[in-house]
Amino acid sequence: MTIRFNNLSVDFDERFQLEQINWQIEPQQHWVITGTNGAGKSALAAVLAGAGDIISGTAEGIPAKVGLVSFEAQAELIAEELKKDDADIMDVIAEGTSVRDIIGQVSDNQPLIDDLITRFKLEYLLERAFRKLSTGESRKVMLIRALASEPDMLVLDEPFDGLDVDTLAMLQDYLSSLIETVPMVMVLNRFDEFPDFITHIAYMDHGRLQLSIDKQDEQAYEELYKLLHLKTTELQVPGADPETAIPALNPEDPLVRLNSINIKYADKAIIEDLSWTINPGQHWQLSGPNGSGKTGLLSLITGDHPQCYVNDIFVFGFQRGSGESIWQIKQYIGYVSTALQWEYRVSISLRNVIISGFYDSIGLYSKYTDRQRDIADQWLAVLGMTDRADQPFNKLSYGDQRLLLIARAMVKHPPLLILDEPCLGLDDMNRQLVLSLIEKICADSETTVLYVNHHPEDRIKGIDQYLALEKTQ
Amino acid sequence: MSNNYFNTLPLREQLAQLAKCRFMHLNEFDDGVNALKGKKIVVIGCGAQGLAQGMNLRDSGCDVSYTLRAAAIEEKRQSWKSATENGFTVGTYEELIPTADVVLNLTPDKQHTPVVEAVMPLMKEGACLSYSHGFNIVEEGMQIRPDLTVIMVAPKCPGSEVRNEYVRGFGVPTLIAVHEDNDPKGEGLALAKAYAVGTGGHKAGVLMSSFVAEVKSDLMGEQTILCGMLQTGSILCFNKMVEKGIDAGYASKLIQYGWETITEALKYGGVTNMLDRLSNPAKIKAFDLSEELKVIMRPLYNKHQDDIMTGAFSSGMMEDWANDDAKLLGWRAETAETAFEKTPAGDVEISEQEFFDNGILMVAMVKAGVELAFETMTAAGIIADSAYYESLHETPLIANTIARKKLYEMNATISDTAEYGCYLYNHACLPLLEDFMKGIDTDVIGKGLDVADNGVDNARLIEVNAALRAHPVEAIGSELRGYMSDMKKIV
């Protein structure tokens, strides 16, 4: 029978909420739920075992008998055992329930129980009190309980965690032997642990089911791999290159000061009389509908707009039009936009694309240093693209190109990072990837971020200054 | 009235001027734009080249404004719009020229004489007059006031490229020269170098040349291999394919994008690499065809070079100028009517390799044209470096223009001088190749060789490979491309 979650929101003791989950599990499907810590993976799995309070939406077709293995279930069972102990006020040493009885609570299929005990090699602690087992041992007991209960569905939250190699192999084999009869949902963090029989993957983030992927869809599967890599890697955003440090700015000065600026084409004004100051450390979001002049405004800052010479613009210590060159301006800016990606039609390697960020060039025309090369390689590691360092940029997928261009923009740790609609044209998965990278950058560096988006409600964590442009008539 | 400057020089001096060409090293530009700092640059004309150079110079920190004829300002012509919309000060000659330290004459060749005659009396004592093409000085013999410094800075690309490459953080190869008769203060070279830095040219490579070498080699290259050969080849190949029943949309696409694809290989590794992209039998076929083509076309290349050297070409063109461009405009209209021009590229997928495999004749034409132009130029006293730049090096640029806009727009993009020469070549070359084309079938244009296997005779292959690699354009090409990669130009 199909399990169907429709717009399901579930509360877990007000500690955590799942929001608007839409999910469908067909018979014969085996799912992995994945995502980062705190994304809601375990919560989603637990809903299948009846946990949580439904706030809205519906959950249909959940089987009656679900075998659940999770740290929470394990902790709960141990807590129950300890409670029994507390409740025992008589002056005897309470042993608690034995492993044999704990298993017996859920099944009387003795041949199956015996078989499982043999497989897990647990004969030696059958008489031991469950609550006295080590974490690894009690985890095995939990697995046996779930399997011995002959469930309609198995929900296994990180079942392989803490298992020794032999047991791991045994368990995977055993689970494979069940796939025709028992649908399974597993919570797993590591791609290399995904059993072969998995048919679908659910990706959770911020309490929402962000993506459902059919494993047959190789491209989506590969992208998910990258996403998880980026989300879970402990690699830090690589440092700047001390040898090619950008000349220091006066900390008293704003990064950008536009004074009553105008942009006009023929006689049509795109922007009229706008003043705007960006101080160091102030993250801004710039929004406005198409044609409201967002890109024009940005290009006044970057020096790409010819009318920057007829406006009162102070950027990075330079009053525009006072004999400065645009390369003196650009060295302070990291810039990513769809237009840049379109212009970046060069067949240079991924590594060189990142290095080109040190020179603010599209393509690489300068002799780079070994240190710059090292830094580029560190970025590739963060992006999970190390093995493709020498491949040509123009053969990369659209989403990967965007990621790489963000790394290129950040490689020199610019005082100002301008992200002009960084998710434009990206699918959900790549959107997630890009946002994850931006979050990582915001967390790890001192760069001031200017984020441009035409939906003012689409906000990024850490940005608290807003400028909304309107279309001039 | 006009007095061909080149023809006034003694042979010894002609040869010395023609042989001037040196690839400059990046460290010769360490002074940046300093020689132009604090100087007021006024650009005459705001076409594609004028606008691109002015924008680059301004973005490099120079003080740039534009001067236009009073009529262009009053009528708010396109040049006025381009300059003002881009935030430049625009004024009449009378308003701006007297304030200028450096005047950049970026008007079309045919306007040079009236323009220079108009601005020269207005120029400051000791100021600098710069050209992007030496036609006016060399072919028309314009005499410049002796107190003025005369230089040339000629980016070897259309204006759009000059701007785009600068914005990318690079530049386009640029030729600079000082008119030795007009360098009273000896500052010509410093100004020319700073100007090349300001437009980004120093990053892509600068050749130090002479007005004479620039004009004589530039004219030759653009008329023959660059524009003429590609135009003629496009028309012949298209018509042949259609005649042989190949889908017109396919034929149109194969040609429109084919020149660009095959010359991309040329850009990376010369004629050798372009032919190496073919299978062995196809390579031998292309080689044989190109040898045949070279024999047929050599007299035409010689004639073009001779007419350029004697000044016959320029006086012929100047007659047309005097006649309101009657010939040029007529030929331009004809180009718009060619079957290739009128057939849009079909919606078919052609892989990169297929452009080579099915375009053997196109490869042969490029090879023949490049080698002939190079051989003819060097035989006329132009040194190999110049000849390389004006033939092989620039071919991909024109091919790229054809890929984007086909022939009519390609001709509209290049200078009128190049366009005039292109038509001269085309009109002479089409009948010249008539018999040759009768023997051509779809195996070399449209479909590719129909061979059971790719076997070839060892001796013949060795011979062909050796001949390809031994051509002098390959030797100078690998040297010059080597400089470029020394500069870490990673295309």
Side-chain angles (χ1 to χ4, degrees), chain A residues 265-266 303-304 306-307 309-310 320 323-327 343 345-348 352 360-362 364-368, chain B residues 37 55 58-62 84-88 163 165-170 203 264 268 486-491:
Chain A
Y265 299 112
D304 291 321
Q307 292 179 24
Y309 293 98
V310 289
R320 289 311 315 269
E324 75 294 340
S325 86
I326 51 164
W327 308 108
E343 280 158 28
R345 288 166 314 190
V346 285
S347 57
I348 69 172
N352 286 350
D360 306 307
S361 58
I362 295 180
L364 181 59
Y365 315 103
S366 306
K367 207 169 255 174
Y368 53 81
Chain B
K37 281 269 170 169
M55 290 178 86
R58 180 174 64 176
D59 279 344
S60 296
C62 297
T84 46
E85 280 182 12
N86 283 296
F88 288 103
R163 180 60 184 162
E165 288 297 322
Y166 180 87
V167 171
R168 295 161 75 95
F170 196 49
K203 293 183 182 171
E264 177 82 359
Y268 276 87
D486 279 353
M487 302 169 98
K488 279 278 184 242
K489 179 187 190 301
I490 301 160
V491 185

Side-chain angles (χ1 to χ4, degrees), chain A residues 285-325:
Chain A
Q285 176 163 345
L286 172 64
S287 60
N290 291 328
S292 59
K294 296 189 298 294
T295 299
L297 186 58
L298 293 180
S299 53
L300 282 184
I301 297 173
T302 59
D304 291 321
H305 199 296
Q307 292 179 24
C308 62
Y309 293 98
V310 289
N311 278 294
D312 178 2
I313 297 171
F314 175 87
V315 276
F316 311 106
F318 295 101
Q319 181 67 33
R320 289 311 315 269
S322 63
E324 75 294 340
S325 86

Side-chain angles (χ1 to χ4, degrees), chain A residues 72-81 102 105 130 142 145:
Chain A
E72 291 217 333
Q74 191 174 343
E76 223 168 87
L77 193 56
I78 289 167
E80 268 173 41
E81 286 294 303
I102 282 279
Q105 286 170 0
F130 175 69
M142 294 301 290
R145 257 170 65 105

